[in-house]
Amino acid sequence: SSELTQDPAVSVALGQTVTITCQGDSLRSYYASWYQQKPGQAPVLIIHGKNNRPSGIPDRFSGSSSRNTASLTITGAQAEDETDYYCSSRDSSGDHVLFGGGTKLTVL
Amino acid sequence: EVQLLESGGGLLQPGGSLRLSCAASGFTFSTYAMSWVRQAPGKGLEWVSTISVSGDKTYYADSVKGRFTISRDTSKNTLYLQMNRLRAEDTALYYCAKTQLGYCSGGYCYSDLLDYWGQGTLVTVSS
C-alpha cells in the first residue's frame, strides 16, 4: 500500500491526553515524522525518528510506533494545540514521500 | 536563522508552464536536500518532489512525474520547480522545505525530515 491513513478529526478535553494515529504498510519499516500546521501557516516538524523532538517543541508531544501504526501523543493538551496534524513516511519502495490525510484536533 | 522564500506563483491556463523559485538563506544550502510540497485549498499536504544534496538524484510524485522538474543552483542558493502541462488539479500553495533525507541503519528506517518550510507561493490553474 502507498497510503498513510489518519482519522480526520479527534477531540480532547483541555489538559487531557490524546493520541493521533497513522496507519500504513510503510510504517512497518519506517519511523514516521509528524508535522503540526496552524491555519494560514506553514507546517512545523514536531516529531521524527523513534521519538525525537526538534528544539523548541514542548515535551508534551511524543511519538511511538507499533507494527503498521505510528502514534502522536499529546500529554496535557493545551488550547494552542488545536490544529491540524500530519504524519509522513517514505513509501515501501523508498522512492516517494507520503503524507497522511491529516487529523484536525479539537481541544474542548 | 533559516529562511526559505518561494516566488513565481500565479494564475495561468491549463496546459501552461511556470517556474517556481525558493531562495534559501541561514544554512549551508549545498549540504542539504530540498523538497517541494503542495497543499490544495482546504486540503492536506501532498509531497511533490525532492532533490538530493548534489542534485544528481531527483524524486517525483506520480501525479507530477514527466511534467515537473526539480533543480537547484548552489551558486545562487536557490531551488527551482519547473512545471509544464499544468492542470487544474495542480492548483495549490507550493512550499519548499529544507530536507534531511531518510535512511536505514541498524535495522531501522527513518523518514525524511522537512525541518524548515517557506510560507509558500500560490499556483492557480484555471481557464
Side-chain angles (χ1 to χ4, degrees):
Chain A
S1 169
S2 58
E3 292 183 346
L4 296 176
T5 301
Q6 297 181 240
D7 291 329
V10 171
S11 62
V12 61
L14 182 67
Q16 297 304 299
T17 297
V18 63
T19 297
I20 296 170
T21 60
C22 173
Q23 291 188 305
D25 286 345
S26 64
L27 299 177
R28 295 182 184 276
S29 303
Y30 283 93
Y31 287 117
S33 298
W34 288 92
Y35 299 86
Q36 178 192 67
Q37 186 181 31
K38 296 187 175 179
Q41 297 185 20
V44 172
L45 177 68
I46 57 173
I47 291 289
H48 64 90
K50 193 171 185 180
N51 180 19
N52 300 301
R53 285 175 288 104
S55 174
I57 302 302
D59 61 5
R60 63 179 179 272
F61 292 94
S62 63
S64 63
S65 66
S66 177
R67 298 180 184 178
N68 71 331
T69 301
S71 300
L72 171 70
T73 298
I74 307 173
T75 303
Q78 302 299 301
E80 61 263 33
D81 300 334
E82 180 169 291
T83 193
D84 296 329
Y85 295 87
Y86 295 89
C87 60
S88 179
S89 169
R90 287 275 181 95
D91 71 357
S92 298
S93 76
D95 288 338
H96 296 77
V97 173
L98 302 172
F99 282 98
T103 297
K104 181 175 182 59
L105 177 67
T106 299
V107 179
L108 304 171
Chain B
E1 179 191 6
V2 172
Q3 290 193 342
L4 297 168
L5 183 61
E6 302 94 337
S7 61
L11 171 63
L12 65 164
Q13 294 186 340
S17 297
L18 202 61
R19 188 178 81 160
L20 306 183
S21 299
C22 170
S25 61
F27 66 102
T28 306
F29 181 74
S30 61
T31 63
Y32 286 93
M34 296 293 294
S35 298
W36 288 98
V37 176
R38 68 185 181 184
Q39 187 168 34
K43 302 298 184 181
L45 302 174
E46 180 187 14
W47 171 74
V48 173
S49 182
T50 296
I51 188 167
S52 64
V53 171
S54 61
D56 61 335
K57 294 180 181 178
T58 57
Y59 308 88
Y60 298 95
D62 291 345
S63 59
V64 306
K65 193 167 187 177
R67 300 188 299 124
F68 290 11
T69 302
I70 190 172
S71 63
R72 62 192 300 161
D73 185 337
T74 301
S75 68
K76 296 181 179 179
N77 285 354
T78 301
L79 174 72
Y80 301 101
L81 185 68
Q82 176 67 43
M83 304 187 296
N84 298 329
R85 291 183 279 144
L86 282 159
R87 306 166 180 168
E89 54 264 36
D90 295 319
T91 294
L93 186 64
Y94 283 73
Y95 295 102
C96 69
K98 173 177 168 286
T99 300
Q100 297 185 52
L101 291 176
Y103 65 95
C104 295
S105 175
Y108 297 94
C109 291
Y110 300 83
S111 299
D112 299 47
L113 308 183
L114 280 60
D115 54 3
Y116 289 91
W117 300 58
Q119 288 304 306
T121 186
L122 182 62
V123 174
T124 303
V125 184
S126 175
S127 55

